[in-house]
């Protein structure tokens, strides 16, 4: 170790302001927490092709379709989660992780998606450079069912962006490829199937200019599927490309028909150029409206700013837009491509999106959770944390102590980063009431009322009085056990019981790692999935 844990985490956050473009690098080092990971069985990662695993026809449960579980990104499980009895299986999501010289892993890994028959489909980085495949494993034992290589090309980045796949309700699996194409398999559970592709601007144009377009047109967001098996994503287009495209948003219907709109056309004069990298499009409950975060291009020394757009889900026509403003400094918030924060559409139609503060450190690098009504005409009370976090929906009935009037609450990461503003390392998670207010503890702004907060359990030996930070960008919520599944940089996965406001279960995954934030997810059989140190862990009975 070249530096202390405190310095590592401080440097990780200060990377947001660096003037150089970082090439994502890696190593497996304990960067938080302590202790032995224990003896666990590794399911080997095999090469591409058909595996030896089979689907489990006895399991039929709710699928986990997208980042955050569904098109609204609620992260709300529809099945009771299993207890943390053991690590049932594990598999790498990065075969060649490159760690920074300071000892942390600045790579965002995509969320697994899980079919109703309990097939777990995982994006896997296969080389030191960002080269990807996606593979299907049996949720019962982790055995490989099938694997497909991709030719995907990454957009410009500082921290390695997420590579996400999407599962549709009709069980088609989509994954990004080069040149703006999507790869897909029509039956995600089948051990043998033909890998197909679709290019939204036409196969003829793509085929005639493949080499140029593979570099010029880049999918830069997760794919989101809606209830009718249509899919949506954002892309970046280089100037002068042979397809004559500018950066924009794509809808590919279940029937294969595609339409697109450029960000420049629908947000003219707003000073934005593209959909924010890593930010998954969200879809309203009635399936009529898309919510899309757009920002300016990544550039050395520039703090990106942006807007939230509401689009017609069929035509992609603009319905409304709102600039994303820091509620304390009252200027454009930082909409960073280093973040995976995506819009949440709540049960009442309100929309939430996490941002960074306008000036780094003025809110302890916590950012803000901005809150709008469905048509974006009303800006509501913000939450006191938004950095690289998509809030999860918590039905109010899950919290026995809650006496307010809201039908749902929000679960958020609530770190208070040391060496950022007045941050003291008292890193928490929180349940917030989005419809009630309290005084913010850092600024003069009124913010969402804290219903429950819980301090990280592992003291940070390098930050007096501080605790290791929570390491999650979307946390799975289990209404059946009234708990939240949340990951920490101490290398342990925790179950947060909302009745007692305590951590009632934990299981060690690794000895700890300072890294880009990670998702948790729930399988059709109730297993829970979490990542640490470039490995996906399946936890259950």
């Amino acid at each position: 170790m070249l530096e202390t844990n405190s310095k590592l985490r401080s440097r990780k956050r200060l990377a947001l302001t660096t003037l150089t473009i970082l090439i994502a690098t890696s190593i497996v080092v304990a960067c938080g927490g302590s202790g032995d990971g224990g003896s666990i069985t590794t399911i080997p990662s095999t090469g591409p092709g058909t595996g030896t695993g089979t689907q489990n026809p006895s399991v039929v449960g709710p699928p986990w379709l997208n980042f955050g579980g569904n098109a609204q990104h609620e992260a709300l499980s529809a099945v009771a989660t299993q207890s943390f009895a053991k690590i049932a299986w594990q598999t790498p999501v990065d075969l060649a992780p490159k760690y920074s010289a300071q000892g942390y892993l600045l790579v965002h890994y995509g969320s697994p998606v899980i079919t109703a028959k309990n097939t777990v489909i995982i994006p896997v980085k296969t080389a030191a450079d960002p080269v990807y495949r996606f593979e299907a494993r049996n949720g019962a034992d982790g055995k490989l069912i099938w694997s497909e290589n991709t030719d995907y090309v990454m957009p410009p980045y500082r921290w390695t962006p997420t590579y996400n796949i999407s599962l549709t309700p009709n069980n088609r699996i989509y994954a990004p490829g080069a040149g703006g194409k999507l790869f897909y398999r029509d039956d995600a559970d089948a051990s043998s199937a033909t890998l197909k592709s679709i290019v939204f601007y036409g196969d003829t144009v793509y085929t005639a200019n493949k080499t140029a377009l593979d570099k010029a047109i880049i999918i830069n967001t997760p794919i989101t599927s809606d209830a009718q098996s249509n899919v949506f994503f954002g892309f970046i287009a280089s100037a002068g490309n042979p397809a004559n495209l500018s950066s924009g948003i794509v809808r590919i219907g279940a029937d294969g028909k595609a339409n697109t709109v450029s960000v420049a056309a629908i947000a003219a004069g707003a000073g934005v150029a593209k959909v924010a990298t890593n930010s998954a499009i969200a879809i309203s409950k009635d399936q009529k409206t898309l919510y899309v975060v757009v920002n300016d291009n990544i550039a050395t020394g520039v703090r990106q700013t942006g807007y939230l757009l509401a689009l017609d889900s069929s035509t992609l026509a603009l319905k409304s837009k709102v600039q994303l403003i820091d509620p304390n400094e009252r200027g454009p918030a930082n909409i960073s491509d280093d973040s995976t924060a995506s819009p949440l559409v709540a049960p009442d139609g309100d929309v939430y999106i996490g941002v960074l503060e306008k000036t780094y450190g003025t809110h302890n690098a916590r950012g803000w959770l901005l809150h709008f009504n469905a048509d974006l005409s009303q800006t509501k009370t913000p939450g006191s944390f938004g950095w690289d976090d998509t809030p999860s929906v918590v039905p109010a009935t899950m919290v026995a102590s809650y006496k307010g009037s809201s039908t749902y609450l929000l679960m958020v990461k609530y770190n208070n980063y040391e060496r950022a503003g007045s941050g003291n390392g008292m890193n928490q998670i929180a349940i917030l009431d989005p419809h009630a207010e309290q005084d913010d503890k850092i600024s003069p702004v009124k913010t969402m009322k804290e219903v429950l907060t819980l301090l990280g359990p592992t003291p940070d030996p390098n930050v007096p009085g501080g605790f290791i930070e929570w390491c999650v960008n979307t946390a799975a919520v289990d209404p059946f056990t009234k708990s939240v599944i949340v990951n920490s940089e101490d290398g342990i996965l925790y179950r947060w019981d909302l009745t007692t406001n305590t951590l009632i279960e934990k299981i060690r995954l690794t000895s700890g790692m300072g890294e880009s934030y990670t998702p948790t997810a729930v399988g059709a059989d109730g297993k829970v999935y979490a990542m640490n140190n470039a490995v996906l862990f399946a936890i259950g009975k």
Side-chain angles (χ1 to χ4, degrees):
M1 290 278 288
L2 300 178
E3 301 181 87
T4 66
N5 291 354
S6 171
K7 289 181 180 178
L8 290 179
R9 282 187 288 278
S10 296
R11 279 177 169 258
K12 183 179 74 172
R13 288 180 288 279
L14 289 171
L16 296 170
T17 59
T18 186
L19 301 184
T20 58
I21 301 299
L22 298 178
I23 299 174
T25 57
S26 328
I27 36 180
V28 180
V29 180
C31 205
S34 59
D36 193 338
S39 177
I40 50 182
T41 302
T42 298
I43 302 296
S45 181
T46 61
T50 299
T52 58
T54 59
Q55 66 188 40
N56 184 355
S58 65
V59 174
V60 178
W64 195 269
L65 299 173
N66 296 294
F67 174 81
N70 61 12
Q72 292 74 47
H73 312 311
E74 293 176 311
L76 190 59
S77 178
V79 64
T81 55
Q82 295 184 23
S83 65
F84 292 4
K86 64 180 181 180
I87 296 173
W89 55 273
Q90 67 182 79
T91 190
V93 295
D94 191 341
L95 305 187
K98 290 172 60 180
Y99 298 73
S100 72
Q102 294 79 26
Y104 42 76
L105 186 55
L106 298 182
V107 181
H108 274 301
Y109 296 112
S111 174
V113 297
I114 305 155
T115 73
K117 292 183 179 180
N118 208 32
T119 299
V120 182
I121 306 165
I122 309 158
V124 179
K125 181 171 166 284
T126 61
D129 292 329
V131 178
Y132 289 87
R133 72 174 183 235
F134 57 111
E135 61 186 34
R137 293 183 176 272
N138 188 317
D141 57 18
K143 290 182 179 178
L144 185 70
I145 300 172
W146 54 260
S147 178
E148 301 284 5
N149 288 327
T150 80
D151 59 356
Y152 180 70
V153 176
M154 277 283 175
Y157 62 87
R158 287 182 290 251
W159 295 6
T160 304
T162 184
Y163 179 83
N164 269 281
I165 55 182
S166 179
L167 184 67
T168 64
N170 67 4
N171 212 39
R172 176 181 283 183
I173 185 73
Y174 282 100
K181 67 176 171 288
L182 293 185
F183 292 110
Y184 66 93
R185 286 173 62 121
D186 280 322
D187 184 351
D189 296 301
S191 59
S192 179
T194 301
L195 182 67
K196 303 174 185 177
S197 66
I198 185 169
V199 181
F200 67 89
Y201 52 87
D203 290 336
T204 301
V205 174
Y206 175 70
T207 301
N209 304 277
K210 182 180 185 303
T211 300
L213 288 169
D214 278 351
K215 298 177 181 178
I217 310 298
I218 300 173
I219 295 172
N220 73 316
T221 73
I223 304 162
T224 300
S225 64
D226 70 7
Q228 290 77 43
S229 297
N230 308 307
V231 294
F232 305 85
F233 58 90
F235 70 94
I236 294 172
S238 299
N241 64 82
N244 196 30
L245 292 168
S246 61
S247 301
I249 300 147
V250 176
R251 176 190 189 274
I252 298 181
D255 58 2
K257 295 180 180 179
N259 59 312
T260 183
V261 64
S262 74
V263 168
I266 57 174
V272 294
K274 62 178 183 62
V275 180
T277 296
N278 290 323
S279 185
I281 292 170
I283 304 170
S284 61
K285 288 282 190 180
D286 65 8
Q287 310 294 297
K288 294 181 179 180
T289 305
L290 306 182
Y291 295 99
V292 185
V293 178
V294 295
N295 65 356
D296 47 353
N297 287 317
I298 189 171
T300 300
V302 173
R303 290 178 69 78
Q304 296 165 283
T305 61
Y307 283 72
L308 179 63
L309 310 182
L311 308 182
D312 183 280
S313 62
S314 296
T315 66
L316 303 184
L318 180 67
K319 290 183 170 184
S320 58
K321 69 178 186 290
V322 63
Q323 190 172 19
L324 299 173
I325 298 294
D326 181 316
N328 178 36
E329 298 184 78
R330 300 185 183 279
N334 182 11
I335 313 305
S336 173
D337 280 349
D338 295 336
S339 171
T340 61
S342 300
L344 164 71
V345 182
D348 61 356
D350 280 6
V351 185
Y352 302 84
I353 180 63
V355 302
L356 262 177
E357 58 258 47
K358 178 178 182 288
T359 304
Y360 180 84
T362 55
H363 202 238
N364 298 359
R366 291 159 60 94
W368 301 93
L369 179 62
L370 302 185
H371 178 191
F372 306 97
N373 66 340
D375 67 7
L376 309 184
S377 63
Q378 183 181 359
T379 300
K380 301 186 178 185
T381 302
S384 186
F385 191 100
W387 161 238
D388 200 6
D389 188 51
T390 301
S392 306
V393 170
V394 177
T397 54
M398 287 180 59
V399 185
S401 61
Y402 177 66
K403 305 303 180 186
S405 59
S406 295
T407 59
Y408 69 91
L409 307 171
L410 300 176
M411 183 274 164
V412 296
K413 184 168 62 222
Y414 224 54
N415 292 329
N416 194 15
Y417 303 111
E418 83 282 359
R419 301 189 183 186
S422 62
N424 56 11
M426 300 293 283
N427 296 314
Q428 298 177 311
I429 43 181
I431 303 296
L432 305 179
D433 184 342
H435 302 113
E437 290 184 342
Q438 68 176 44
D439 291 332
D440 187 35
K441 297 174 182 177
I442 302 168
S443 74
V445 174
K446 292 286 187 180
T447 56
M448 295 178 195
K449 186 175 182 179
E450 298 168 4
V451 176
L452 299 175
T453 60
L454 189 67
L455 192 63
T458 305
D460 188 334
N462 298 290
V463 180
F467 291 80
I468 298 295
E469 70 182 74
W470 296 97
C471 187
V472 67
N473 59 7
T474 174
V477 174
D478 178 2
F480 302 92
T481 62
K482 298 184 178 180
S483 66
V484 179
I485 311 303
V486 60
N487 208 1
S488 169
E489 283 193 358
D490 64 9
I492 299 174
L493 181 70
Y494 294 92
R495 183 186 298 275
W496 181 19
D497 181 82
L498 302 186
T499 299
T500 61
N501 194 27
T502 59
L503 301 173
I504 59 170
E505 278 192 293
K506 65 179 182 179
I507 187 166
R508 179 165 291 284
L509 307 179
T510 74
S511 57
M513 168 55 57
E515 60 187 327
S516 300
Y517 298 125
T518 58
T520 58
V522 179
D525 63 352
K527 283 192 182 69
V528 299
Y529 293 88
M531 296 179 194
N532 194 269
N533 205 1
V535 176
L536 177 73
F537 297 87
I539 294 97
K541 295 183 290 186

